Amino acid sequence: DNSHEQALALARVEREMGVRSTYFVLLRSEFYNVAARRCLETLGQIQALGHELGLHFDEKAYPEAGIEETAAHILRERDMLSALLETPVTSVSMHRPSQATLDADLQIPGMINSYGQTFFHDFKYLSDSRRRWREPVEEIIRSGTYDRLHILTHAFWYHKADESITETVSAFIRSANAERYGQMQENITDLASIVMRDRCL
């Protein structure tokens, strides 16, 4: 949801562990631009590690859309993402879905809907929303109780050193300054002197 760089870090760990995942990409994120060169390079690296890229669809971007219109918007965004990635996109995951969308069990031509009823009724579903597992995920995996698991994780929450939710969110907010400075540096000659001049006023 927040960081393609953090997604790549997790993708590398998963590759080392022999895990293949689907990473769902938001086209309408306020935090990254899928069409930007650096982001596309990162996503390409995730694919090169053997992972799949899917569409993370935010229905709140279309507040007036009904269920049929929502399916059409998903297909439109799928085509846009496929064009950017230069590879077919065949799966979709909902971003903060409404109950109406969940109940609709959307059947989207040519796509797997990871929020379809199959993945909630025929699989054991586990999620780390807000960095909180509602069930003991590691115990459930080790137990072998379930033949099929549907595990949703958010790369944003995981780091080499353990961090609290407060530390993670605060560090992400602080990092925005450095990221914006780097972006400006690529577009403005002698940015440092301009910034220092402004501070002296």
Side-chain angles (χ1 to χ4, degrees), residues 92 102 105-107 113-121 150:
V92 61
L102 292 175
D105 191 22
L106 283 170
Q107 304 299 310
N113 175 9
S114 72
Y115 274 73
Q117 294 299 313
T118 296
F119 293 97
F120 286 94
H121 289 245
H150 175 190

Side-chain angles (χ1 to χ4, degrees), residues 2-12 23 25 32-53 84-85 155 179:
N2 307 83
S3 169
H4 54 94
E5 293 97 342
Q6 196 66 20
L8 176 58
L10 184 58
R12 287 172 172 151
Y23 283 76
V25 183
Y32 59 84
N33 174 8
V34 179
R37 176 184 52 81
R38 191 162 57 98
C39 187
L40 282 174
E41 288 174 354
T42 302
L43 296 176
Q45 291 176 65
I46 291 172
Q47 282 185 298
L49 291 167
H51 304 293
E52 178 191 2
L53 295 176
L84 287 168
L85 298 175
E179 185 174 342

Side-chain angles (χ1 to χ4, degrees), residues 61-192:
Y62 307 95
E64 305 302 321
I67 294 302
E68 288 185 12
E69 293 170 306
T70 295
H73 289 307
I74 289 171
L75 288 171
R76 191 174 301 112
E77 288 199 12
R78 177 204 63 185
D79 292 344
M80 292 168 63
L81 183 59
S82 294
L84 287 168
L85 298 175
E86 298 182 351
T87 189
V89 172
T90 59
S91 56
V92 61
S93 175
M94 304 304 173
H95 182 59
R96 300 174 299 179
S98 66
Q99 192 60 49
T101 297
L102 292 175
D103 292 342
D105 191 22
L106 283 170
Q107 304 299 310
I108 304 154
M111 299 194 79
I112 295 169
N113 175 9
S114 72
Y115 274 73
Q117 294 299 313
T118 296
F119 293 97
F120 286 94
H121 289 245
D122 300 339
F123 286 65
K124 174 63 177 174
Y125 176 74
L126 301 160
S127 171
D128 69 345
S129 295
R130 291 180 62 91
R131 200 187 165 188
R132 183 171 66 87
W133 294 98
R134 286 150 184 80
E135 298 180 70
V137 61
E138 292 180 39
E139 291 177 25
I140 290 171
I141 293 170
R142 281 194 296 265
S143 73
T145 302
Y146 301 94
D147 292 332
R148 297 191 289 183
L149 298 173
H150 175 190
I151 303 175
L152 169 63
T153 55
H154 297 80
F156 178 70
W157 298 125
Y158 303 100
H159 307 272
K160 288 183 178 178
D162 191 30
E163 294 181 4
S164 68
I165 187 172
T166 300
E167 290 169 329
T168 297
V169 172
S170 297
F172 179 70
I173 292 170
R174 288 193 305 272
S175 71
N177 282 337
E179 185 174 342
R180 184 55 53 87
Y181 187 89
Q183 292 163 344
M184 294 297 289
Q185 204 166 29
E186 290 181 4
N187 291 280
I188 295 181
T189 303
D190 200 17
L191 177 64

